[in-house]
Amino acid sequence: MTDVQKNIWKDWRLHAIVFVIVLLTEWIGIHQFSVGPGVILLLPMLYAILIGLALYFTPIIKEKQSKNAEPLIVLGVTLLIAKIGVIIGPSLPQIIEAGPALLLQEFGNLGTIILALPLAVALGIKRESIGMTHSVAREPNVGLIMDKFGFNSPEGRGVMAIYIFGTVFGAVFMGLISGFLATLTPLHPYSFAMASGIGSGSMMAAASGSLVAAFPEMENNILAFAGASNLLSLSTGLYMSIFIGLPLTEKFYEVLNKRKNKKIDPNTKMGA
């Protein structure tokens, strides 16, 4: 065990704070409210994230606790993945039956290009938008952008902005939107379980947790589909970004930028 690991386990202040937060959020429990025909679920994980974020700006949490907490996230996600691995086994027939859908779900991550890139260009964001929208900006995608463009490049700044934003708010957003859409739309809960596996353990946990709370009778299959989907995203997502996502984003950015410049060019004839 390294000195850093020893310091983490000896940080009783951190463990005590986490324990109190867990007790408090479990006491609050699950709450839900309707928005039209859909239902928004508020889970203990959401409260824990918000309380932990708020405590960071108080004297209760110091820089030492903040740094020591980072490796523990990996430990927590590892336990979750181990649980999902055990669940996947009995659910293999259902997963194999959904084979084509599960394999093709990776193309859904290209939606960030189609939906977000035009908006980013319209807002006046330059090449930062390429790093921001070519993927969901998790660790492999950050590495891809850094390798191709460099850390100080516009694309590098863009991908880091989304990475940080996703780290802070991604789990909150996924936890809220998955349960809401699953109860609002006629799509099967398993489709949202597959959609929750975007290559982030914390986001997958938040999304699948909301789905389980909304459809408790499907818990094992929801976790199995989410885990299998997340595993596929982790293993194939980088190749999708290298060969399809990033080249498509760069080309689409050039097209959108030309159209935008053409519209604002004072020399362009009216109606041209």
Side-chain angles (χ1 to χ4, degrees), residues 80 94 127 138 142-143 146 157 161 163 171 185 218 228 239 249 257 266:
L80 172 67
Q94 290 88 346
R127 291 192 63 86
R138 293 296 88 205
V142 172
M146 298 307 171
R157 292 192 294 270
Y163 176 77
T185 66
M218 302 180 185
Y239 300 104
T249 306
N257 215 36

Side-chain angles (χ1 to χ4, degrees), residues 188-227:
H188 199 281
Y190 293 168
S191 65
F192 287 98
M194 285 187 277
S196 69
I198 60 174
S200 167
S202 58
M203 294 186 197
M204 181 207 66
S208 58
S210 291
L211 293 173
V212 167
F215 307 96
E217 70 282 1
M218 302 180 185
E219 177 178 0
N220 285 346
N221 283 342
I222 285 174
L223 292 177
F225 275 108

Side-chain angles (χ1 to χ4, degrees), residues 128-155:
E128 286 85 354
S129 62
I130 294 175
M132 296 170 71
T133 64
H134 84 284
S135 69
V136 292
R138 293 296 88 205
E139 287 83 354
N141 306 106
V142 172
L144 171 62
I145 294 296
M146 298 307 171
D147 182 64
K148 182 169 183 179
F149 299 103
F151 185 82
N152 293 320
S153 64
E155 294 83 357

Side-chain angles (χ1 to χ4, degrees), residues 31-50:
H31 293 274
Q32 64 182 47
F33 59 92
S34 299
V35 178
V39 176
I40 291 182
L41 295 164
L42 303 179
L43 303 178
M45 183 176 180
L46 172 64
Y47 314 143
I49 292 173
L50 296 178

